[in-house]
Amino acid sequence: MFYQAIQYIKFLFKSTNQHGVHSPFVYNLVTKCFYDTANYEAYKNISAYKKQLLQDHTKITVTDLGKGSHVTKQQERTISEIAKNTGTTIKRAKLLYRLSAYFNFENILELGTSLGIATHAMSLANPKSEITSIEGCPMISEYTKTTFEKHHLKNISLITGDFNDIIKNLTPKTFDLIFFDGNHQKEATLQYFETLTQTAHNDSVFIFDDIYWSKEMTEAWETIKQHPKVTVTIDTFFWGVVFFRKEQVKEDFVVRV
């Protein structure tokens, strides 16, 4: 947590808003999506979904295949604890909704379903999209799958298992969005990234959650930024957003959201 606090102070000094962005593509994204203040109807559903999770005191046994939680290492946790401590925040879920709607993503891959707060937001943004979401913990996966059914989210395919094994056996296709929100370890993150760049097209977007989770996650982010296929990146502190647009000049942005 100390590492994150120091990095956040550095981020504040380096970051800018839309006035410091000179790329038309990124400027439009920041002003029309990141800073969009409209109160979308879907926001009520996103908030209600998380509220329901926060009120659920069902206990489950958690199997952490990744780095786990900064808050607790206990294997038995309540749904409400998971939603509060490791679930996607309402602010980020709303931003993910706006991003999904702005780019109209059709084929989405998510590494790390957890309780499905982010998945739910992406599903609402484009009900016609096809979302493949992978969760490593069997009990969380089973709970979330049932919750999706209760909310009639029919465009989500939830797969349980190790990310590496499932990624290698995915039906060959391209993804418009890949949301990396599971294993917060450097080697694993870079391995997933290298494997999944093969599924990227010119307009694909990769989002990496918690790039300042630890020193090694920041190192992974710095390595990703230097990849020859990557052109534009946006550091929002909590997310690292990656673009592969060949028509863009290679540039890295640090933007407050």
Coordinates of all heavy atoms in Angstrom, one line a residue, residues 215-248:
K215 N 5.5 -3.1 -7.4 CA 6.6 -2.7 -8.3 C 6.7 -3.6 -9.5 O 6.9 -3.1 -10.6 CB 7.9 -2.8 -7.5 CG 9.1 -2.2 -8.2 CD 10.3 -2.2 -7.2 CE 11.5 -1.6 -7.9 NZ 12.1 -2.5 -9.0
E216 N 6.4 -4.9 -9.4 CA 6.6 -5.8 -10.5 C 5.4 -5.6 -11.5 O 5.6 -5.7 -12.7 CB 6.6 -7.2 -10.1 CG 5.4 -7.8 -9.5 CD 5.5 -9.3 -9.4 OE1 6.6 -9.9 -9.4 OE2 4.4 -10.0 -9.2
M217 N 4.2 -5.2 -11.1 CA 3.2 -4.9 -12.0 C 3.5 -3.6 -12.8 O 3.2 -3.5 -14.0 CB 1.8 -4.7 -11.3 CG 1.0 -6.0 -11.2 SD 0.7 -6.8 -12.8 CE -0.5 -5.6 -13.5
T218 N 4.1 -2.6 -12.1 CA 4.5 -1.4 -12.9 C 5.6 -1.7 -13.9 O 5.6 -1.2 -15.0 CB 5.0 -0.3 -11.9 OG1 4.0 -0.1 -10.8 CG2 5.3 1.0 -12.5
E219 N 6.5 -2.6 -13.5 CA 7.5 -3.1 -14.5 C 6.9 -3.7 -15.7 O 7.3 -3.5 -16.8 CB 8.5 -4.0 -13.8 CG 9.4 -3.3 -12.7 CD 10.2 -4.3 -11.9 OE1 10.0 -5.5 -12.1 OE2 11.0 -3.9 -11.1
A220 N 5.9 -4.6 -15.4 CA 5.1 -5.2 -16.5 C 4.5 -4.2 -17.4 O 4.6 -4.3 -18.7 CB 4.1 -6.1 -16.0
W221 N 3.9 -3.1 -16.8 CA 3.3 -2.1 -17.6 C 4.3 -1.3 -18.5 O 4.1 -1.0 -19.6 CB 2.6 -1.1 -16.6 CG 2.1 0.2 -17.3 CD1 2.4 1.4 -16.9 CD2 1.1 0.3 -18.3 NE1 1.8 2.4 -17.7 CE2 1.0 1.7 -18.6 CE3 0.4 -0.6 -19.1 CZ2 0.1 2.2 -19.6 CZ3 -0.5 -0.1 -20.1 CH2 -0.6 1.3 -20.3
E222 N 5.5 -1.1 -17.9 CA 6.5 -0.4 -18.7 C 7.0 -1.2 -19.8 O 7.3 -0.7 -20.9 CB 7.7 0.0 -17.8 CG 7.4 1.0 -16.7 CD 7.0 2.4 -17.3 OE1 7.6 2.7 -18.4 OE2 6.1 3.0 -16.8
T223 N 7.1 -2.5 -19.6 CA 7.4 -3.4 -20.7 C 6.4 -3.5 -21.8 O 6.7 -3.4 -23.0 CB 7.6 -4.9 -20.2 OG1 8.7 -4.9 -19.2 CG2 8.0 -5.8 -21.3
I224 N 5.1 -3.5 -21.4 CA 4.0 -3.5 -22.4 C 4.0 -2.2 -23.3 O 3.8 -2.3 -24.5 CB 2.7 -3.6 -21.7 CG1 2.5 -5.0 -21.1 CG2 1.5 -3.3 -22.6 CD1 1.5 -5.2 -20.0
K225 N 4.3 -1.1 -22.6 CA 4.4 0.2 -23.4 C 5.4 0.2 -24.5 O 5.2 0.8 -25.5 CB 4.7 1.3 -22.4 CG 3.5 1.7 -21.5 CD 3.9 2.5 -20.3 CE 4.6 3.8 -20.6 NZ 4.9 4.6 -19.4
Q226 N 6.5 -0.6 -24.3 CA 7.6 -0.6 -25.3 C 7.4 -1.6 -26.4 O 8.2 -1.7 -27.3 CB 8.9 -0.9 -24.5 CG 9.3 0.1 -23.5 CD 9.3 1.6 -24.0 OE1 9.8 1.8 -25.0 NE2 8.7 2.5 -23.2
H227 N 6.3 -2.4 -26.3 CA 6.1 -3.5 -27.3 C 6.0 -2.9 -28.7 O 5.3 -1.9 -28.8 CB 4.9 -4.3 -26.9 CG 4.7 -5.6 -27.7 ND1 4.2 -5.6 -28.9 CD2 5.1 -6.8 -27.3 CE1 4.2 -6.9 -29.4 NE2 4.7 -7.6 -28.4
P228 N 6.6 -3.5 -29.7 CA 6.6 -2.9 -31.0 C 5.2 -2.8 -31.6 O 5.0 -1.9 -32.5 CB 7.4 -3.8 -31.8 CG 7.6 -5.1 -31.0 CD 7.5 -4.7 -29.6
K229 N 4.2 -3.6 -31.2 CA 2.9 -3.5 -31.8 C 2.0 -2.4 -31.1 O 1.0 -2.0 -31.6 CB 2.1 -4.9 -31.6 CG 2.6 -5.9 -32.6 CD 1.8 -7.2 -32.5 CE 2.2 -8.3 -33.5 NZ 1.4 -9.5 -33.4
V230 N 2.5 -2.0 -29.9 CA 1.7 -1.0 -29.2 C 2.1 0.4 -29.7 O 3.2 0.8 -29.8 CB 2.0 -1.1 -27.7 CG1 1.4 0.1 -26.9 CG2 1.5 -2.4 -27.1
T231 N 1.0 1.2 -30.0 CA 1.3 2.6 -30.4 C 1.0 3.6 -29.3 O 1.8 4.4 -28.9 CB 0.5 2.9 -31.7 OG1 -0.9 2.6 -31.5 CG2 1.0 2.1 -32.9
V232 N -0.3 3.6 -28.9 CA -0.7 4.6 -27.9 C -1.1 3.9 -26.6 O -1.7 2.8 -26.6 CB -2.0 5.4 -28.4 CG1 -2.5 6.3 -27.3 CG2 -1.6 6.2 -29.6
T233 N -0.6 4.5 -25.5 CA -1.0 4.0 -24.1 C -1.5 5.2 -23.3 O -1.1 6.3 -23.5 CB 0.1 3.3 -23.4 OG1 1.1 4.3 -23.0 CG2 0.8 2.2 -24.2
I234 N -2.5 4.9 -22.4 CA -3.0 5.9 -21.5 C -2.9 5.3 -20.1 O -3.5 4.3 -19.8 CB -4.5 6.3 -21.8 CG1 -4.6 6.8 -23.2 CG2 -4.9 7.3 -20.8 CD1 -6.0 7.1 -23.7
D235 N -2.2 6.0 -19.2 CA -2.1 5.6 -17.8 C -3.1 6.5 -17.0 O -2.9 7.7 -17.0 CB -0.6 5.9 -17.4 CG -0.3 5.7 -15.9 OD1 -1.3 5.5 -15.1 OD2 0.8 5.7 -15.5
T236 N -4.1 5.8 -16.4 CA -5.0 6.5 -15.6 C -4.8 6.2 -14.1 O -5.6 6.5 -13.3 CB -6.5 6.1 -15.9 OG1 -6.7 4.7 -15.5 CG2 -6.8 6.2 -17.4
F237 N -3.7 5.7 -13.8 CA -3.2 5.2 -12.5 C -3.9 3.8 -12.2 O -3.2 2.9 -11.9 CB -3.5 6.2 -11.3 CG -2.8 5.7 -10.1 CD1 -1.5 5.8 -9.9 CD2 -3.6 5.1 -9.0 CE1 -0.9 5.3 -8.7 CE2 -3.0 4.6 -7.9 CZ -1.6 4.7 -7.7
F238 N -5.2 3.7 -12.1 CA -5.8 2.4 -11.8 C -5.8 1.5 -13.0 O -5.9 0.3 -12.8 CB -7.2 2.6 -11.2 CG -8.1 3.5 -12.0 CD1 -8.9 3.0 -13.0 CD2 -8.3 4.8 -11.6 CE1 -9.8 3.7 -13.7 CE2 -9.2 5.6 -12.3 CZ -9.9 5.1 -13.4
W239 N -5.8 2.1 -14.2 CA -5.8 1.3 -15.4 C -4.7 1.7 -16.3 O -4.3 2.9 -16.4 CB -7.1 1.4 -16.2 CG -8.3 0.7 -15.7 CD1 -8.3 -0.3 -14.7 CD2 -9.6 0.9 -16.1 NE1 -9.6 -0.7 -14.5 CE2 -10.4 0.0 -15.4 CE3 -10.2 1.7 -17.1 CZ2 -11.8 -0.1 -15.5 CZ3 -11.6 1.6 -17.2 CH2 -12.4 0.7 -16.5
G240 N -4.2 0.8 -17.1 CA -3.3 1.1 -18.2 C -4.0 0.7 -19.5 O -4.4 -0.5 -19.6
V241 N -4.3 1.6 -20.4 CA -5.1 1.4 -21.6 C -4.1 1.3 -22.8 O -3.3 2.3 -23.0 CB -6.2 2.4 -21.8 CG1 -7.1 2.0 -22.9 CG2 -7.0 2.6 -20.5
V242 N -4.3 0.3 -23.6 CA -3.3 0.1 -24.7 C -4.1 0.1 -26.1 O -5.1 -0.6 -26.2 CB -2.6 -1.3 -24.5 CG1 -1.8 -1.6 -25.8 CG2 -1.7 -1.2 -23.3
F243 N -3.5 0.7 -27.1 CA -4.0 0.7 -28.4 C -3.0 0.3 -29.4 O -1.8 0.5 -29.2 CB -4.5 2.2 -28.8 CG -5.6 2.7 -27.9 CD1 -5.2 3.4 -26.8 CD2 -6.9 2.5 -28.2 CE1 -6.2 3.9 -25.9 CE2 -7.9 3.0 -27.4 CZ -7.6 3.7 -26.2
F244 N -3.4 -0.3 -30.5 CA -2.5 -0.8 -31.6 C -2.7 -0.1 -32.9 O -2.3 -0.6 -33.9 CB -2.8 -2.3 -31.7 CG -2.7 -3.1 -30.5 CD1 -3.8 -3.3 -29.6 CD2 -1.5 -3.7 -30.1 CE1 -3.6 -4.0 -28.4 CE2 -1.4 -4.5 -29.0 CZ -2.4 -4.6 -28.1
R245 N -3.3 1.1 -32.9 CA -3.6 1.8 -34.1 C -2.3 2.2 -34.9 O -1.6 3.0 -34.4 CB -4.4 3.0 -33.8 CG -5.8 2.7 -33.2 CD -6.4 3.9 -32.5 NE -6.4 5.1 -33.3 CZ -7.4 5.4 -34.2 NH1 -8.5 4.6 -34.3 NH2 -7.4 6.6 -34.9
K246 N -2.1 1.6 -36.0 CA -0.9 1.8 -36.8 C -0.9 3.3 -37.4 O 0.2 3.8 -37.6 CB -0.8 0.9 -38.0 CG -0.6 -0.6 -37.5 CD -0.7 -1.6 -38.7 CE -0.5 -3.0 -38.2 NZ -0.7 -4.0 -39.3
E247 N -2.0 3.9 -37.5 CA -2.0 5.3 -38.0 C -1.6 6.3 -36.9 O -1.5 7.5 -37.2 CB -3.4 5.6 -38.6 CG -4.6 5.6 -37.6 CD -5.2 4.3 -37.4 OE1 -4.6 3.2 -37.6 OE2 -6.4 4.3 -37.1
Q248 N -1.5 5.9 -35.7 CA -1.1 6.8 -34.6 C 0.4 6.8 -34.4 O 1.1 5.8 -34.5 CB -1.8 6.3 -33.3 CG -3.3 6.3 -33.3 CD -3.9 7.7 -33.2 OE1 -4.9 7.9 -33.9 NE2 -3.3 8.6 -32.5

